[in-house]
Amino acid sequence: MIKKNIPQKTIDRLAIYRRYLEYASEETAGRHFITSADLSKGTQVSAAAIRRDLSCMGQLGRRKIGYNIDRLCNSINSVLGLNKKWRVALVGAGNLGKALMMYRGFRKLGFEIVAVFDNARLKIGKKWLEIKIQDIRHIKDNVSNKRIEIAIIAVPFKVAQATADLLIESGIKAILNFAPIGLKVPDNIKLRSVDLATELANLSYFLTKKIR
Amino acid sequence: MIKKNIPQKTIDRLAIYRRYLEYASEETAGRHFITSADLSKGTQVSAAAIRRDLSCMGQLGRRKIGYNIDRLCNSINSVLGLNKKWRVALVGAGNLGKALMMYRGFRKLGFEIVAVFDNARLKIGKKWLEIKIQDIRHIKDNVSNKRIEIAIIAVPFKVAQATADLLIESGIKAILNFAPIGLKVPDNIKLRSVDLATELANLSYFLTKKIR
DNA sequence: CGATGTGAATAATTTCACAGCG
DNA sequence: CGCTGTGAAATTATTCACATCG
């Protein structure tokens, strides 16, 4: 609805609020409204930041009462584009790929993995949840035929860039990358990366610092 | 060495530089020095930001030549606390847990999973890479006996907070959380969270926005 | 010369604090 | 009154631009 550009940080937090509202049914049970103070307790984001974030979506709150929970969820879903189904390709049928495939949270959010690819003979042809694992060479046909817009890369880092290039050539628009490498993609492709080792390195820094 | 507080963002990027230097052996092969401009090309971080980040660790560079690659790696490892071994506990022996267990990148960075826990009868007693999966009730003994400082939570969200509480009670100092919930932990515990659904929601936002 | 390291300028984000409204 | 929404201030992060030095 609102057309202003919403800051990246706000987008990240909108997803957090959304998740809290979805899962924290106990705390919000029976209530129709939630205040920024309560949402702050549930999410560890300051109440002021919450109000500013939510104000990006228009005037949703009611003074003295707070935000209508249903309306808030709807607004966030609408802004984040979660009120539609997204067709997702998964590349890499290793342990991580399997974990992602079996994760129910994706489907609940509207993300459906409709194609799985790998390059290993042993895996090609097997089925995961009714989806047949296909040879990576078929990416191009599939992505365009099935109109897939999002891809998840869960392949070893050595082949990650080539995989990304192939996906982009196939018309993918966004990539969630789990390979430990900084992928290079054109400006019009949206990329998010999750690097597990980097996350641990971060913890390591804080543990080290604390000692002295 | 340098004792100033390093910004969180810089810490994140130091891990990125480190990863690039480690993996990009082709680009850096034979060379002993790298300039901020080259590092910028490899990591998509601006050269100015790189120089400022690196200057947090002291005067590492040489004008006209750049940064000595070995020395740079050593400095980053030292700051990030990656020049020692970390003993890690993994809680949750599902698909994601297995993927994390089998991921070699952790061990290469110095993180060794030395204990695995689950609450499912069927899994307890099985072995993963010589590590026996133990009943979650044994967390407390193990964490203190084996002097484990870092835990990875890969359990369903409903039991994630209880798991975190138990770990903290057991003396863990840092947690990497994969459960889709905002864990509440005391100030002295360092927490990082990876929420796969949130990452996808972010892509979804940009795809949606692009359309109009 | 050619690259670093860093003040100074700029931009982005967060917090403060309170007017305004039901 | 009690809460939102938001200017204004404060803080944090990034970029610019150049003095500096081998």
Side-chain angles (χ1 to χ4, degrees):
Chain A
M1 288 174 181
I2 298 310
K3 285 287 158 294
K4 268 183 312 184
N5 253 354
I6 300 179
Q8 168 68 56
K9 294 271 191 91
T10 293
I11 295 300
D12 288 338
R13 284 190 300 256
L14 287 180
I16 290 173
Y17 308 147
R18 196 204 150 282
R19 186 183 64 181
Y20 174 75
L21 292 171
E22 166 146 344
Y23 286 146
S25 43
E26 288 165 28
E27 277 106 57
T28 59
R31 307 204 87 288
H32 287 191
F33 287 83
I34 189 168
T35 65
S36 58
D38 288 344
L39 202 43
S40 175
K41 268 193 227 113
T43 59
Q44 340 283 306
V45 178
S46 80
I50 289 174
R51 291 201 300 277
R52 198 171 288 281
D53 285 342
L54 298 186
S55 75
C56 289
M57 303 187 296
Q59 310 229 144
L60 289 171
R62 285 177 53 187
R63 286 151 209 260
K64 192 167 164 208
I65 295 180
Y67 300 85
N68 179 288
I69 292 175
D70 286 345
R71 188 166 172 224
L72 190 48
C73 286
N74 285 336
S75 293
I76 295 177
N77 284 339
S78 166
V79 167
L80 294 184
L82 298 177
N83 45 10
K84 63 162 280 190
K85 295 267 174 267
W86 294 98
R87 300 162 73 75
V88 178
L90 170 64
V91 190
N95 284 309
L96 179 58
K98 185 166 193 180
L100 297 168
M101 186 74 192
M102 301 306 166
Y103 178 47
R104 288 158 170 271
F106 287 159
R107 186 168 303 228
K108 269 178 59 184
L109 257 196
F111 299 97
E112 187 175 4
I113 294 174
V114 297
V116 181
F117 303 95
D118 203 294
N119 63 0
R121 275 280 164 74
L122 282 170
K123 287 173 188 161
I124 294 167
K126 281 194 179 165
K127 274 191 168 187
W128 278 357
L129 300 180
E130 305 302 306
I131 307 288
K132 197 181 272 183
I133 300 173
Q134 296 181 78
D135 191 312
I136 212 161
R137 288 178 225 152
H138 298 141
I139 281 184
K140 201 157 177 182
D141 308 337
N142 267 263
V143 166
S144 53
N145 286 345
K146 294 189 177 156
R147 278 188 233 90
I148 299 174
E149 293 175 287
I150 299 177
I152 299 177
I153 293 182
V155 302
F157 85 93
K158 277 176 209 155
V159 294
Q161 184 65 58
T163 301
D165 295 344
L166 184 55
L167 286 164
I168 292 165
E169 200 193 328
S170 309
I172 220 80
K173 291 293 185 300
I175 293 174
L176 180 53
N177 171 46
F178 287 90
I181 184 176
L183 293 179
K184 276 148 194 156
V185 302
D187 281 350
N188 61 329
I189 305 292
K190 179 68 184 176
L191 170 70
R192 293 274 288 199
S193 288
V194 175
D195 182 355
L196 307 178
T198 298
E199 300 292 332
L200 278 180
N202 214 291
L203 296 182
S204 163
Y205 166 71
F206 281 93
L207 291 180
T208 304
K209 200 184 55 162
K210 200 171 293 175
I211 293 165
R212 59 200 59 239
Chain B
M1 286 173 181
I2 298 310
K3 285 288 157 296
K4 269 183 310 183
N5 252 353
I6 301 179
Q8 169 67 56
K9 294 274 191 88
T10 294
I11 295 299
D12 287 339
R13 285 190 299 253
L14 287 180
I16 290 173
Y17 308 147
R18 195 204 151 284
R19 185 182 65 182
Y20 174 75
L21 293 172
E22 166 146 343
Y23 286 145
S25 42
E26 288 165 28
E27 278 106 60
T28 60
R31 309 204 86 288
H32 286 192
F33 287 84
I34 189 167
T35 65
S36 58
D38 289 345
L39 203 43
S40 173
K41 268 194 229 111
T43 60
Q44 341 281 307
V45 178
S46 79
I50 289 174
R51 290 201 302 277
R52 198 171 288 282
D53 285 343
L54 298 187
S55 74
C56 290
M57 303 187 296
Q59 307 228 146
L60 289 172
R62 284 176 54 186
R63 287 154 208 259
K64 191 168 168 209
I65 297 180
Y67 300 85
N68 178 287
I69 294 176
D70 286 344
R71 188 166 173 225
L72 190 49
C73 286
N74 285 336
S75 293
I76 295 178
N77 284 339
S78 166
V79 167
L80 294 184
L82 297 177
N83 45 9
K84 63 162 278 188
K85 295 266 174 265
W86 294 97
R87 301 163 71 74
V88 178
L90 169 64
V91 191
N95 284 309
L96 179 57
K98 184 167 194 178
L100 297 169
M101 185 75 192
M102 302 306 166
Y103 178 46
R104 287 156 171 274
F106 286 158
R107 185 168 303 228
K108 267 179 58 184
L109 257 195
F111 299 96
E112 186 175 6
I113 294 173
V114 295
V116 182
F117 303 95
D118 204 294
N119 64 0
R121 277 277 164 75
L122 282 170
K123 287 173 189 159
I124 295 168
K126 282 194 178 165
K127 272 190 170 187
W128 278 357
L129 300 181
E130 303 303 304
I131 306 288
K132 196 181 272 184
I133 300 173
Q134 298 181 78
D135 191 311
I136 211 160
R137 288 178 226 152
H138 298 141
I139 281 185
K140 203 158 179 182
D141 308 336
N142 267 264
V143 167
S144 53
N145 287 345
K146 295 188 179 156
R147 278 189 232 89
I148 299 174
E149 294 175 286
I150 300 177
I152 299 177
I153 293 183
V155 302
F157 85 92
K158 278 176 207 154
V159 295
Q161 184 64 59
T163 300
D165 295 343
L166 184 55
L167 286 165
I168 292 165
E169 201 193 329
S170 309
I172 219 84
K173 290 295 182 300
I175 293 174
L176 180 55
N177 172 47
F178 288 90
I181 184 176
L183 292 180
K184 276 146 195 158
V185 303
D187 281 350
N188 61 330
I189 306 293
K190 179 68 185 177
L191 170 70
R192 294 273 290 200
S193 288
V194 175
D195 182 356
L196 308 177
T198 298
E199 299 293 332
L200 278 180
N202 214 291
L203 296 181
S204 163
Y205 165 71
F206 282 93
L207 291 179
T208 304
K209 200 184 55 163
K210 199 171 293 174
I211 293 165
R212 54 201 59 239

